[in-house]
Amino acid sequence: DQTPLQYLTSTCPWRDFELEVSADVLIPRQETESLIDLALGKVSNLKCGRWADLGTGSGPLAVSLAKALPCWNGHAVDISKDALQLAKRNLKSLVPNSNVKLSLGDWWKPLKKWWGSFDLVLSNPPYIPTDLIDELEPVVKNHEPRIALDGGYDGLNASNQIILGALNGLAVGGWLILEHHYDQSENII
């Protein structure tokens, strides 16, 4: 069983930049890049606002949003101290003057002070059903953090928490965009 190349080199290309990564975070995937394109299309009419990246990991979504929306206030949240430190380093090296606050905690909880003011919230939460983890490629299931993969029995634990939190967190007209498993569209709250 092979260690992922990204962990060996401590880097991962993503969009138009290269992120520092480690075994403390999920390796950013190309399909997640589409969240940024979708999000930017939804807020193209807003000059400034507030965004959040829930479960930031190494910070690919946060870095992309900070680069594309420099006048906005950004928030990157993760439950892992190690992941948050990695996101901090990536933000500092790739978008040194960004206005991004990093918060340790569970989804919406550390953002309570700003609830009701988020115009855009993105997340790539853990969404693999627990029973399917063992069916993943060995390079994924044996090396990437289980906390970043395992979405519980139906894979929707985190997604449902994020969606319920959006009721308080989003501004009127705000957008919540999250990645999910290919067969979960019908079952998300």
Side-chain angles (χ1 to χ4, degrees):
D1 152 44
Q2 303 275 325
T3 300
L5 179 63
Q6 294 90 334
Y7 291 159
L8 293 173
T9 64
S10 298
T11 60
C12 180
W14 205 77
R15 287 183 71 85
D16 58 345
F17 51 86
E18 199 164 275
L19 290 161
E20 178 187 346
V21 294
S22 74
D24 296 318
V25 296
L26 190 73
I27 296 168
R29 306 296 199 274
Q30 283 185 316
E31 56 268 21
T32 306
E33 294 180 13
S34 63
L35 291 181
I36 296 297
D37 298 326
L38 180 61
L40 294 178
K42 298 296 182 189
V43 299
S44 61
N45 61 325
L46 298 176
K47 184 177 180 185
C48 58
R50 184 177 303 279
W51 59 260
D53 171 13
L54 304 181
T56 195
S58 61
L61 297 174
V63 168
S64 294
L65 291 173
K67 287 176 74 136
L69 303 170
C71 296
W72 287 48
N73 293 304
H75 298 264
V77 176
D78 207 286
I79 199 163
S80 162
K81 286 180 186 176
D82 294 328
L84 217 51
Q85 286 302 314
L86 196 51
K88 182 179 183 177
R89 287 196 302 274
N90 279 321
L91 279 159
K92 188 174 183 179
S93 69
L94 296 165
V95 200
N97 298 317
S98 68
N99 186 18
V100 179
K101 180 173 177 43
L102 292 109
S103 300
L104 180 67
D106 194 18
W107 307 123
W108 288 96
K109 289 178 188 168
L111 303 178
K112 190 169 187 173
K113 179 177 173 181
W114 299 279
W115 281 3
S117 69
F118 288 95
D119 301 292
L120 177 64
V121 175
L122 269 61
S123 184
N124 179 15
Y127 57 75
I128 307 295
T130 303
D131 290 349
L132 296 182
I133 299 281
D134 288 336
E135 295 176 24
L136 296 173
E137 302 268 337
V139 72
V140 174
K141 72 179 178 184
N142 296 338
H143 295 280
E144 298 198 53
R146 189 172 181 107
I147 193 171
L149 297 169
D150 192 339
Y153 169 75
D154 60 359
L156 299 174
N157 286 1
S159 297
N160 288 339
Q161 288 179 51
I162 292 167
I163 291 166
L164 288 172
L167 297 173
N168 291 320
L170 288 179
V172 173
W175 287 93
L176 171 64
I177 301 173
L178 57 96
E179 188 168 323
H180 57 78
H181 203 244
Y182 72 91
D183 61 354
Q184 292 172 336
S185 296
E186 300 293 318
N187 298 323
I188 287 182
I189 292 178

